[in-house]
Amino acid sequence: MSLQSSIEWTDATWNPVRGCTKISPGCKHCYAETFAERFRGVKGHPYEQGFDLRLVPEKLCEPLRWRAPKMIFVNSMSDLFHDSIPEDYIVAVAGVMAAANWHTYQVLTKRSARLRSLLNSRLAFAAKERHIWWGVSVEDQRYGLPRIVDLRAADAAVRFLSVEPLLEDLGRINLSGVHWVIVGGESGPGARPMKKEWVVSVRDQCRTSGVPFFFKQWGGVRKAAAGRRLDRRTYDEFPSRVRNPVPGPADCMALALQIESPFKDLGLISISRRDLARPATAAF
Ligand code: SF4
């Protein structure tokens, strides 16, 4: 777990999985890939294998060992619902989130069909917890809007949308059953532009529907200069958070050992990039 995050809408990141493959236009300038590939081949570095997908069982129980309550972005360097991640492992990640309930978790995916299917079955125990927020990325109409349909069909207590990088006007969005919306523009070299009217449209629909709205950034090549003010103010709204007591260290350790034990002997599990490559995703 990284104890601090520079992402505006979270406090910390936790990566029990590393690596991913591209699935839609929002992935084009994936910051996680850029970061991870920088360290490919660097002996002993956590990203020695670049952005290849792999499970990291030794990270599985980190939130149980971190006792100060935090807002945690789960798998900032991967996608928990990637097809290649075994279902038992996803259930174990959800088990840690359910057990370490003094934190608030933000789980964000582009694989919304698997999210829907698992939240309505093996992850139902975690789906109804108010300290776990389940979200989908929405970058455009073609790929993003169908993910909202999946999210709304998932029987979750808290649902959110990460509308970033916003690549076009989304038109009318059905926000019923949605509890939070984040909007942001792409940043870094080659950043695709975001028009103000696209942002205003989402903000105004959130206002009409009573949904908390968080404006992360305008983005662009010089993100800091562009800032994050919209109509002369910032938008930093969140859903309300649950405050649960923190158990004693011995109880936390016992829970961690119980959850970890089936995965202890797995070590680091790698799935090679070549095995994951699919022609359908190559364009992204
Ligand atoms: S789904 Fe997320 S982590 Fe995976 S490639 Fe796309 S942007 Fe990167």
Side-chain angles (χ1 to χ4, degrees):
M1 184 185 294
S2 170
L3 293 181
Q4 285 189 319
S5 169
S6 59
I7 300 169
E8 288 78 357
W9 44 263
T10 199
D11 297 331
T13 55
W14 167 43
N15 285 287
V17 182
R18 296 181 192 135
C20 193
T21 50
K22 298 185 177 188
I23 189 170
S24 69
C27 299
K28 185 173 181 187
H29 298 133
C30 173
Y31 74 91
E33 180 189 37
T34 306
F35 176 88
E37 286 299 326
R38 214 181 292 157
F39 300 101
R40 181 179 287 280
V42 177
K43 283 265 170 280
H45 192 278
Y47 290 93
E48 181 181 351
Q49 297 169 55
F51 204 44
D52 295 353
L53 182 70
R54 60 221 183 273
L55 311 184
V56 192
E58 71 269 26
K59 296 282 181 189
L60 187 58
C61 288
E62 273 194 321
L64 283 163
R65 299 189 171 95
W66 196 9
R67 298 172 48 70
K70 292 275 184 193
M71 189 114 68
I72 299 172
F73 179 19
V74 180
N75 272 355
S76 62
M77 297 295 290
S78 183
D79 185 331
L80 184 63
F81 294 94
H82 193 288
D83 289 350
S84 298
I85 301 175
E87 204 170 291
D88 285 350
Y89 195 77
I90 299 173
V91 173
V93 170
V96 172
M97 293 192 283
N101 66 359
W102 54 96
H103 302 300
T104 300
Y105 299 89
Q106 299 152 321
V107 185
L108 180 61
T109 187
K110 287 187 174 69
R111 276 85 178 177
S112 57
R114 197 173 188 204
L115 168 111
R116 183 197 61 211
S117 156
L118 284 174
L119 289 188
N120 290 343
S121 56
R122 292 189 69 192
L123 296 188
F125 72 95
K128 60 173 183 275
E129 295 285 354
R130 296 203 63 81
H131 70 283
I132 309 175
W133 303 352
W134 304 94
V136 295
S137 300
V138 182
E139 71 267 51
D140 63 7
Q141 296 198 21
R142 180 179 170 195
Y143 290 90
L145 296 184
R147 295 188 189 122
I148 305 177
V149 177
D150 281 333
L151 181 69
R152 291 173 58 244
D155 195 11
V158 182
R159 304 183 190 88
F160 73 97
L161 310 181
S162 172
V163 181
E164 47 179 336
L166 179 53
L167 300 176
E168 65 180 8
D169 181 20
L170 295 180
R172 278 205 51 77
I173 314 167
N174 185 344
L175 290 173
S176 68
V178 172
H179 305 94
W180 188 35
V181 174
I182 304 163
V183 172
E186 192 163 56
S187 58
R192 292 162 284 181
M194 177 176 70
K195 290 191 179 166
K196 180 180 174 183
E197 56 261 37
W198 305 344
V199 182
V200 168
S201 168
V202 179
R203 178 199 63 189
D204 290 352
Q205 292 183 68
C206 286
R207 284 286 172 271
T208 305
S209 304
V211 176
F213 175 76
F214 190 103
F215 184 53
K216 181 184 169 193
Q217 62 179 30
W218 286 106
V221 178
R222 292 188 307 127
K223 159 185 157 164
R228 52 186 301 267
R229 291 173 76 82
L230 171 63
D231 288 341
R232 296 183 299 283
R233 59 160 287 190
T234 55
Y235 290 84
D236 295 311
E237 298 161 6
F238 287 88
S240 57
R241 285 173 71 177
V242 179
R243 307 282 174 183
N244 288 315
V246 185
D251 290 340
C252 291
M253 191 56 67
L255 275 168
L257 291 174
Q258 186 188 325
I259 294 170
E260 261 169 2
S261 62
F263 298 97
K264 234 167 61 191
D265 298 328
L266 291 181
L268 198 95
I269 302 165
S270 290
I271 303 161
S272 88
R273 215 148 203 223
R274 212 178 40 200
D275 294 343
L276 290 166
R278 286 189 202 94
T281 66
F284 305 112

